[in-house]
Amino acid sequence: MPASLRGFGPLGLAAIALILGGNFLFPPLSALLVLAWAYASETPWRELGFVRPGSWTKSLVIGIAFGAVFKLVMKVLVMPLLGAPPINPHYHFLAGNAAALPGMLYAVIIGAGFGEETVYRGYMFERLGKLLGQTTRAKVAIVLITATLFAAAHYPDQRIPGVEQAAFTGLAFGGIYALTGELFMLMVAHASFDLVALALIYWNLEAPVAHLFFK
């Protein structure tokens, strides 16, 4: 059973399909299924990026700062250059909506920070690494594949602007993971990125920030 789950036969492929489809029910089901798969397949946690950082505090601080700055750079420079609207219409209902904050905090910290990083970086890098290998060329291909899948997952609710932003974040987070093999800092950075986005929406700062340099 463990070997079959780690392989790419019928059982292994069924596990992949189940894991990737989990978030259609509720986030972060896919990430929880990854943990169940790791246990059942006897896959070491470190192969999924769950390794102890050299310093928890340093990784936490770097993750918070990187995620926040990255989001602001995307909002101020990158997305305006791509012609994205200054306001995210799908999530604009959050503006001044205190009642919606608890659910969104869960979504960005647990669903995105923990869930998406576990699936799109930890799990997919492990699976694709088994198929493509660990050469530099293989890692570049894995970063591109996972970034593409991550971007595509944002189309249903955020359309093309969401895909464009997710492509950049997928490339950045994937590149960092390919170099470090550690998830903790990326989980923090992802949550920080989305928390800054949430703050901009909640306080109606999206348009002023987006128009800081480009009118």
Side-chain angles (χ1 to χ4, degrees):
M1 176 72 77
S4 295
L5 285 169
R6 290 195 302 271
F8 296 93
L11 186 58
L13 293 176
I16 292 172
L18 180 63
I19 287 170
L20 296 183
N23 276 359
F24 287 104
L25 296 177
F26 73 90
L29 179 57
S30 289
L32 298 178
L33 290 173
V34 167
L35 301 185
W37 171 85
Y39 175 80
S41 66
E42 299 178 358
T43 300
W45 294 108
R46 65 179 176 275
E47 293 188 15
L48 296 171
F50 290 97
V51 297
R52 185 187 298 274
S55 168
W56 290 99
T57 302
K58 182 178 179 181
S59 294
L60 182 66
V61 171
I62 291 175
I64 292 172
F66 173 68
V69 171
F70 189 17
K71 174 58 189 179
L72 290 174
V73 169
M74 291 295 298
K75 192 68 177 178
V76 172
L77 296 175
V78 179
M79 298 310 293
L81 286 173
L82 292 174
I87 292 175
N88 186 330
H90 184 78
Y91 289 106
H92 192 62
F93 74 94
L94 294 167
N97 188 353
L101 287 181
M104 286 305 301
L105 290 174
Y106 166 83
V108 301
I109 295 173
I110 305 300
F114 165 71
E116 291 183 347
E117 290 308 309
T118 296
V119 174
Y120 287 99
R121 257 58 72 179
Y123 177 69
M124 287 191 174
F125 268 73
E126 191 280 339
R127 294 285 75 198
L128 290 169
K130 289 292 191 297
L131 283 174
L132 304 179
Q134 297 298 323
T135 64
T136 299
R137 181 175 295 180
K139 288 185 176 182
V140 170
I142 292 170
V143 170
L144 293 174
I145 292 169
T146 55
T148 299
L149 294 173
F150 181 65
H154 289 74
Y155 180 79
D157 61 345
Q158 299 184 60
R159 298 300 187 248
I160 295 302
V163 170
E164 292 171 338
Q165 178 169 257
F168 278 94
T169 55
L171 288 171
F173 292 167
I176 292 170
Y177 184 73
L179 293 173
T180 66
E182 296 183 10
L183 275 182
F184 177 69
M185 190 279 285
L186 289 174
M187 288 179 174
V188 175
H190 195 148
S192 176
F193 183 100
D194 286 353
L195 285 170
V196 171
L198 177 59
L200 292 176
I201 296 170
Y202 181 78
W203 282 304
N204 264 318
L205 294 174
E206 281 193 290
V209 171
H211 292 150
L212 193 62
F213 295 122
F214 302 97
K215 302 302 182 182

